[in-house]
Amino acid sequence: MDAKNLNLDFIYTDWSLIETRFDPEKIHQRETVFTIGNGYLGTRGTFEESYPRATTATLLQGVYDDVPIVYTELANCPDWLPLTVSIDGDRFRLDRGEVIGYERKLDLRRAVLSRFIRWRSPNGKTVDLQFDRFASLADPHILCLRCQIKPVDFSGLIEVQASINGYPENQGFNHWELIDQGKHHQNAWLHLRTRGSRISLGIATGLTVTDAEASLQINNSPGYPTLIAAFQGTSGQAVTVEKMVTIFTSRDVENPLEAAQEKLTTLPPYPILLKEHQQAWEQIWDQSDVAVEGDVRAALAIRYNLFQLLIAAPQNDDKVSIPAKTLSGFGYRGHVFWDTEIFILPLFIYTQPALARNLLTYRYHTIAGARRKAIHYGYKGAMYSWESADTGDEVTPRWLPPNDPYGDDIRIWCRDREIHISADIAYAMWYYWLVTGDDEWMRDYGAEIILDTAVFWGSRVEYNTKYERYEICGVIGADEYHELANNNAFNNRMVQWHLEKAIHTQDWLREKYPDKAKELEEKLQLTLSRRLRWQDIIANLWIPYDAKTGLIEQADGFFQLEDINLADYEPRTKSMQSILGIEAANKRQVLKQPDVLMLLYLMRESEEFPYSLEVLAKNWNYYAPRTDITYGSSLGPAIHGILASDLGKSEEAYGYFMQAAMVDIEDVRGNADDGIHAASAGGVWQAVVFGFGGIKLTENGPVATPHLPKGWKRLQFKLYWRGDWHEFDLKGETETMEAQNTNMSESSGQTPIKGVIFDLDGVLTDTAEYHYRAWQRLADEEGLPFNRQANEELRGVSRRESLLKIIGDKHYSEAQMQAMMERKNRYYVESIENISPDDLLPGALDLLKELRSAGIKIALGSASKNARPVVEKLGIGEYIDAIADGFSVQQPKPAPDLFLFAAKELGLEPGQCIVVEDAGAGVEAALAAGMRAVGLGPVDRVGEATVVLPSLAGVNWRDLQASLNGLVLQN
């Protein structure tokens, strides 16, 4: 995988992930990345007009259906996205015609997915298309799609077809049978039913066209009803098409089709639906947001991972949970693992307790399946399934077909041996109760689960008469590379902990709710002898811990297995189990994911045995080098990041954290096609809050002991504790100017120059006149004083700072200012439409070519948010290695952030870079970043630069380098 190219595909802002080009080779990964949802359903980021090989999917919570091999899976539901646009008979598709401009943006704050394309048809007609879609959080049964169509260089017939695809497949398997379809009040609808589970679904759609006279027809093709609108497009005039969709299932209402039809006919206009949706998200983000200053890439990655979990959490349904791949793909078939309780739930417990309650109550509704599994294996109580779906019965495949067509089927032992999940569920319930104080839920739901799973452990534990101790043999621990372990430390200590809490729960019930205690004691047969057995197990269950060395043996005999040096296998792109084989990995000291370290993490908060910082350090030194943290499991990096942070290994901690945070956006593991790594996403939140924020729980609530990563200036988040909200605003260590800025007189001639960072406006091309005209037009419309002299003060200044200078003391709301900046930008974009390579300033192209020949890295450092399209129009993209623009950092020039970001993207130290600027603010920013500066223009404007030149005309690299090293001032 080429991580550099992936980075070039994206622009990261604090709240938006922006894709700058379409790469067909990454189509499936990007479908996952651009998933949207609302807790009721999730829709992958496929295109409205379709694309060859696309993996289209809309998955609804709880809509499971039977399927061979994997027992049951979330059924892919009818596709609500299809919307095609035809230009005088040429159908728009990205694999046809010419894509002139492309941008796709996921706005996390508003939960809206947008896409802009400038497309030239095979017949040479150019059109601008702006798509926007969202799944309403205000009403989960509403889906909205809008397309704005603007002919650029023609007038002619435009046809739009909006459809529902009633033939969805789960990788070749169709779960649906069509019951009926039809039209109703210019709307179309479908009524389907799953083949095995008999869940019926009703879906309806309507289409409106504004700013044009359109004819509307309905084509009722079997299983594919389509609304067709046709109208005359006029050059330069945009037409808006809005597609509304409503969807219900028999899990929600008795008659889902009737409910879908009724809701569709009473929908308010698109802007109102969007506003209600945004308001719902404002409430969510108010509680769950995590804000980072000083690291835009990390800030976006954190919010992205939170977003993907928030859109998978059921708002109004406590009979479902969050699958391991959320609702974003077919990986793990929509099954629920321990991922939800251990990795995902902490985010919800501390920021969305009502959603956490729903997720935990799912386990109560599926306890019958856990009891059936216990009976099947010959045990008592409730034995939760490793993979669970709607009933709680075990749905882990017993066998899987091999990748080799001549190989043997692969036995999946997790269903039989990975039993720690019952303790994991109890652990999550205990912390939900601890944090929320929700006694009512614990009384009515949680206590029964904690107690009945304790009954299971009492029957599963074995007594070893030779050693006079209890043991648990034949298990798989958290590390899944070892498929038959005896006395796995993680498993045994979690069982011991679980039984301790079960006794506490029973005592609490007896004291506070004696009637409920009596009811459960009779129902679960909680006799005195059973309780005494629990106490005996707690006292005598074997935990393989050596007090002398501080080491915990992962399982009996683990230290006697063949050792391994993972560095011997680098570089690699697959897991150690794939390299070694299942049996060989079983015989070596290699871990898929943290096991002993996972146990220490779970005991870290309460500092219960065997956790201590000293024990952590000793076990980290042993187990971390033996853990396949890169390709073993996505569950590992975040946990390693937290523990490394505890141990003062800040650089390692940040590396693990970013590995987890970017696992889907940058496809770190190469398997994002299958869906979002939900456990990793939950781990990211824990890494930030518990790791970098250093949150610990006390009797008075959470307390922070922060150790922020280098460069993080600020970390803000909220936590819920017993009815109150605690706001944390943590500051990083202040970096002194001396640390960033070198003395140029001392460093000149010593530090070799390996990178050149160019400003854009006034350096490579002159778009200042376009900016001036756009600002002047805005100022005239608003009645603000502005002229060319005032415009000079805006040179090198960000759009926001420029607006603030223009409006002066006049008051505008934030919304008004945002609208004004967007308006100015629109004027500017319109005006630069015809920029070409001829607009490069004299000397610019020659210097770029010379730098490229000399092996010097080149970056663009421009405050403009339109830098990328301008570079494209100038035809110099092949010379630019990295772009730092208005989307890259928060603080504009004269802050050094933009140039520091550019240097980082080039992989260089600041002192190895020079900056070419034409503005005083830019020169100041370069010097503050510890870089030498070349100032273009008059001395009174750029005189603080290391070297001052009138322009780039006639400048060559050899002479410029000599001037910089000799501190020669040229005028």
Side-chain angles (χ1 to χ4, degrees), residues 291-294 708 711-716 728-732:
V292 170
E293 290 184 13
L708 304 188
W712 284 26
K713 299 175 182 177
R714 193 176 190 183
L715 171 62
Q716 296 173 288
F728 292 87
D729 189 351
L730 311 177
K731 304 295 176 61

Side-chain angles (χ1 to χ4, degrees), residues 55-266:
T55 308
T56 303
T58 290
L59 301 174
L60 269 66
Q61 282 281 21
V63 180
Y64 289 96
D65 193 41
D66 301 336
V67 69
I69 299 180
V70 294
Y71 296 95
T72 188
E73 66 182 356
L74 284 176
N76 191 6
C77 294
D79 182 16
W80 62 277
L81 289 177
L83 190 141
T84 63
V85 179
S86 296
I87 308 298
D88 275 346
D90 281 335
R91 180 181 169 186
F92 160 67
R93 288 175 63 103
L94 288 177
D95 58 335
R96 299 175 184 172
E98 179 185 0
V99 178
I100 301 170
Y102 175 92
E103 180 180 284
R104 179 161 48 164
K105 179 172 76 171
L106 179 58
D107 183 335
L108 301 174
R109 190 197 297 270
R110 301 188 309 135
V112 175
L113 179 62
S114 304
R115 186 168 52 118
F116 170 80
I117 307 100
R118 172 160 288 188
W119 182 73
R120 184 168 291 133
S121 72
N123 288 325
K125 297 182 178 179
T126 309
V127 62
D128 285 346
L129 299 169
Q130 173 73 40
F131 293 93
D132 300 281
R133 76 172 78 145
F134 65 91
S136 175
L137 191 68
D139 186 331
H141 302 283
I142 299 173
L143 306 167
C144 298
L145 194 163
R146 180 174 65 183
C147 179
Q148 293 179 305
I149 306 165
K150 180 181 177 182
V152 175
D153 55 11
F154 75 96
S155 296
L157 180 65
I158 296 175
E159 183 179 271
V160 177
Q161 296 190 10
S163 309
I164 301 173
N165 180 2
Y167 298 102
E169 293 185 348
N170 287 56
Q171 299 171 318
F173 190 91
N174 188 338
H175 285 282
W176 298 93
E177 55 186 32
L178 179 63
I179 298 174
D180 199 3
Q181 69 182 78
K183 57 183 179 179
H184 178 69
H185 296 306
Q186 294 296 301
N187 300 326
W189 54 266
L190 271 178
H191 190 195
L192 305 97
R193 183 169 54 217
T194 54
R195 300 181 187 279
S197 56
R198 312 308 281 172
I199 297 173
S200 60
L201 179 147
I203 183 169
T205 186
L207 189 69
T208 60
V209 179
T210 56
D211 304 314
E213 292 291 329
S215 62
L216 186 64
Q217 298 178 344
I218 299 179
N219 184 331
N220 215 13
S221 300
Y224 206 90
T226 300
L227 306 173
I228 305 170
F231 54 88
Q232 282 296 124
T234 303
S235 180
Q237 295 183 13
V239 176
T240 300
V241 177
E242 294 167 350
K243 177 183 181 182
M244 308 296 192
V245 178
T246 54
I247 184 168
F248 286 83
T249 75
S250 53
R251 293 188 69 254
D252 317 313
V253 294
E254 185 175 348
N255 190 330
L257 176 59
E258 183 179 303
Q261 292 172 332
E262 182 179 345
K263 182 169 285 289
L264 184 65
T265 58
T266 59

Side-chain angles (χ1 to χ4, degrees), residues 102 208 325 454 535 642 670 699 719:
Y102 175 92
T208 60
K325 292 293 184 181
Q535 292 172 334
I642 298 170
E699 291 182 0
L719 296 179

Side-chain angles (χ1 to χ4, degrees), residues 452-468:
D452 210 20
T453 44
V455 171
F456 159 67
W457 289 125
S459 67
R460 178 62 173 83
V461 166
E462 309 152 28
Y463 188 74
N464 186 320
T465 55
K466 179 180 179 180
Y467 296 106
E468 296 185 337

Side-chain angles (χ1 to χ4, degrees), residues 170-387:
N170 287 56
Q171 299 171 318
F173 190 91
N174 188 338
H175 285 282
W176 298 93
E177 55 186 32
L178 179 63
I179 298 174
D180 199 3
Q181 69 182 78
K183 57 183 179 179
H184 178 69
H185 296 306
Q186 294 296 301
N187 300 326
W189 54 266
L190 271 178
H191 190 195
L192 305 97
R193 183 169 54 217
T194 54
R195 300 181 187 279
S197 56
R198 312 308 281 172
I199 297 173
S200 60
L201 179 147
I203 183 169
T205 186
L207 189 69
T208 60
V209 179
T210 56
D211 304 314
E213 292 291 329
S215 62
L216 186 64
Q217 298 178 344
I218 299 179
N219 184 331
N220 215 13
S221 300
Y224 206 90
T226 300
L227 306 173
I228 305 170
F231 54 88
Q232 282 296 124
T234 303
S235 180
Q237 295 183 13
V239 176
T240 300
V241 177
E242 294 167 350
K243 177 183 181 182
M244 308 296 192
V245 178
T246 54
I247 184 168
F248 286 83
T249 75
S250 53
R251 293 188 69 254
D252 317 313
V253 294
E254 185 175 348
N255 190 330
L257 176 59
E258 183 179 303
Q261 292 172 332
E262 182 179 345
K263 182 169 285 289
L264 184 65
T265 58
T266 59
L267 286 182
Y270 181 96
I272 293 177
L273 292 171
L274 178 59
K275 182 178 180 180
E276 293 171 347
H277 167 71
Q278 291 175 185
Q279 289 173 340
W281 271 101
E282 284 175 9
Q283 295 177 19
I284 291 289
W285 284 122
D286 179 63
Q287 295 175 194
S288 298
D289 184 31
V290 173
V292 170
E293 290 184 13
D295 188 341
V296 172
R297 184 163 168 258
L300 182 279
I302 293 166
R303 284 179 170 138
Y304 176 84
N305 282 279
L306 300 188
F307 172 82
Q308 289 297 343
L309 293 182
L310 291 166
I311 64 174
Q315 301 273 340
N316 306 302
D317 192 344
D318 63 8
K319 293 182 174 62
V320 295
S321 187
I322 297 179
K325 292 293 184 181
T326 68
L327 303 174
S328 62
F330 298 127
Y332 295 122
R333 308 294 168 176
H335 297 172
V336 179
F337 293 70
W338 74 312
D339 305 33
T340 307
E341 280 73 26
I342 297 299
F343 293 89
I344 297 171
L345 256 165
L347 162 68
F348 294 99
I349 290 173
Y350 287 94
T351 73
Q352 300 287 337
L355 297 184
R357 197 180 205 263
N358 282 349
L359 294 170
L360 287 170
T361 307
Y362 159 79
R363 293 297 189 179
Y364 180 82
H365 290 305
T366 56
I367 196 171
R371 287 169 175 151
R372 286 190 289 270
K373 180 174 180 179
I375 292 170
H376 174 79
Y377 282 91
Y379 302 119
K380 301 183 189 313
M383 177 187 185
Y384 273 92
S385 300
W386 180 241
E387 295 184 34

